Amino acid sequence: SIVAVDVQPSAEDDRVVGVIGSVADPAVADEAVRTAIDRFGGLHVVANVAGILRTANAHEHSLEMWQQVLDVNLTGTFLVCKAAIPVLLEGGGGAIVNQSSDTVLASRIDSGNGRLKPSGVFAKCPSPTCAVFLPPVSGDNEKPNTGD
């Protein structure tokens, strides 16, 4: 079952519920997590796959355009994780997958096409896909259960 966040309304059925808004909005990230709990009884996996690309010559790139990309691609990932992690831990663990685009492999001020491509999520991950697994917790102290 899936809760999908998008700025455009999406088709829904018994297994897919849409939340309209931007992942860069803390209220939308919180709503998506609450929707998963209310509609499907919990949260086990989070996939951060939202992303936008705005291109311009580096010296012509506006601060507003730059901020839009950072807000969706970086802040959105942070906000969704921030909303989801307490729920995942409370449920005994889970997984978070942060997906970036392979276009980030060429992210430089001059990436061959003279364009600026901000892409900080990739800088935090060893490959275009970064999975974060939250181990089960044991007891009331919420420390990872290492099997000891």
Side-chain angles (χ1 to χ4, degrees), residues 64-87:
E64 179 183 37
M65 193 184 311
W66 175 260
Q67 194 62 55
Q68 271 185 325
V69 173
L70 293 178
D71 286 349
V72 173
N73 297 6
L74 296 179
T75 303
T77 298
F78 165 76
L79 291 172
V80 171
C81 287
K82 185 176 190 227
I85 287 172
V87 175

